[in-house]
Amino acid sequence: MAYVEESSFERDMSYIPDRVLVGARSGDPLDDRFPSGSKDSPRDVKVWPVEPGRYRLVAAKACPWANRAIIVRELLGLQEVIGLGTPGPTHDAQSWTFDLDPDGLDPVLGIHWLQEAYFNRIPGYERGITVPAIVDIGSKAVVTNDFPQITHDLFFEWREHHRPDAPDLWPADLREEMEEVMQRVFTEVNNGVYRCGFAGTQQAYDDAYARLWTAMDWLEERLTARRYLMGDAITEADVRLFTTLARFDAVYHGHFKCNRNKLTEMPALWGYARDLFQTPGFGETIDFDQIKAHYYVVHTDVNPTGIVPQGPDESGWTTPHGRG
């Protein structure tokens, strides 16, 4: 996780911007993404070809941003096309580690720290070693860690390899509205809980808290009148919201002080979250023990004792949701 320490939390959204694109040739430049001479144009931005078996998705189940990619991979049926490496929930000063695997090594990449794959790509890489990351197996080098682009490209660029009944996560007729919904979900909810948790002043926290609950009330109202965020079918927008809701009562309510009320006390949102949890591709990607271990152990500034709470009771996630 990368963030800028200020009184008001701001997430560092600078990632390795390479893309895996259908029809691309390895090493082709991706100059058309940036205006000529733009100060924001990254050095050595390249495209990589869609090639089954070439890449490994490294995604810790504890991390909500990585959890998105795991879910999309499951929904689209890409399990046999793109491998999955799962670091443990806690990491040391160097980076995420594969401490859940035998000998502490990813069984395919043969590395202990994810940092090794970053350094194979950019020696001395100075930004955060984040998940999810797409890693080229042959070179053991990170291709990209741009989490919103990763799930976008899994849908649009890997279509030839989707299972026949894969959901349409980006329906053309809803895409414009969906982009607006996802932007609000990201800024106010996905990132909003972090803005509360990492606030450096009372005023920053109060402002973040107000923004979060304004958005949560908007979602509660929206989901009272429709089954999913965009209507009757699951889209990428639902994936992006779900990973925050799944962590809300277990972590964000207490650890991040997002405690106006619990998710279980919001009828529409709680029913919606259970609906998704019980949908194949969602619930099986959630590991509450890993989620709690990550936040309560790694965030020593927020929880200096490192004590991991026993609750809350998780059995409610499998109760009838009534949204069919």
Side-chain angles (χ1 to χ4, degrees), residues 244-279:
T244 296
L245 297 183
R247 289 157 176 77
F248 200 89
D249 287 3
V251 175
Y252 304 142
H253 179 270
H255 183 61
F256 278 176
K257 308 178 184 70
C258 303
N259 61 354
R260 191 193 74 179
N261 51 258
K262 297 177 180 178
L263 177 67
T264 56
E265 297 166 346
M266 304 187 77
L269 272 169
W270 176 225
Y272 164 82
R274 281 177 291 156
D275 189 359
L276 291 176
F277 185 89
Q278 295 168 33
T279 298

Side-chain angles (χ1 to χ4, degrees), residues 97-109:
T97 62
F98 294 94
D99 50 299
L100 300 179
D101 292 304
D103 300 321
L105 300 175
D106 179 87
V108 173
L109 299 173

Side-chain angles (χ1 to χ4, degrees), residues 84-260:
L84 177 65
T86 52
T90 61
H91 51 73
D92 58 23
Q94 286 185 252
S95 74
W96 296 89
T97 62
F98 294 94
D99 50 299
L100 300 179
D101 292 304
D103 300 321
L105 300 175
D106 179 87
V108 173
L109 299 173
I111 59 176
H112 177 64
W113 288 283
L114 180 57
Q115 183 189 63
E116 297 173 56
Y118 277 77
F119 284 1
N120 288 340
R121 172 64 195 280
I122 304 174
Y125 184 77
E126 296 179 350
R127 292 190 177 275
I129 307 298
T130 62
V131 288
I134 298 289
V135 179
D136 176 54
I137 295 173
S139 62
K140 300 182 182 181
V142 168
V143 172
T144 180
N145 62 338
D146 188 342
F147 69 89
Q149 196 66 61
I150 286 173
T151 54
H152 175 280
D153 288 349
L154 287 179
F155 178 76
F156 284 102
E157 303 300 326
W158 291 81
R159 286 191 180 193
E160 181 183 346
H161 306 286
H162 293 180
R163 59 181 174 85
D165 58 344
D168 183 359
L169 297 179
W170 293 77
D173 59 330
L174 298 175
R175 207 166 294 163
E176 183 175 353
E177 181 190 3
M178 193 172 85
E179 292 279 10
E180 295 175 357
V181 169
M182 290 193 301
Q183 181 63 23
R184 186 171 182 183
V185 166
F186 171 69
T187 59
E188 306 305 300
V189 180
N190 300 146
N191 206 41
V193 293
Y194 285 87
R195 197 180 294 114
C196 290
F198 291 129
T201 66
Q202 185 67 51
Q203 187 61 57
Y205 166 73
D206 290 347
D207 292 345
Y209 182 92
R211 286 179 62 178
L212 170 66
W213 286 106
T214 296
M216 291 290 279
D217 288 339
W218 163 68
L219 288 167
E220 176 74 5
E221 181 179 359
R222 184 179 182 93
L223 289 165
T224 298
R226 61 186 76 197
R227 183 171 182 180
Y228 304 114
L229 278 176
M230 303 310 302
D232 296 329
I234 291 170
T235 66
E236 171 91 7
D238 298 298
V239 175
R240 296 186 179 196
L241 177 57
F242 172 77
T243 58
T244 296
L245 297 183
R247 289 157 176 77
F248 200 89
D249 287 3
V251 175
Y252 304 142
H253 179 270
H255 183 61
F256 278 176
K257 308 178 184 70
C258 303
N259 61 354
R260 191 193 74 179

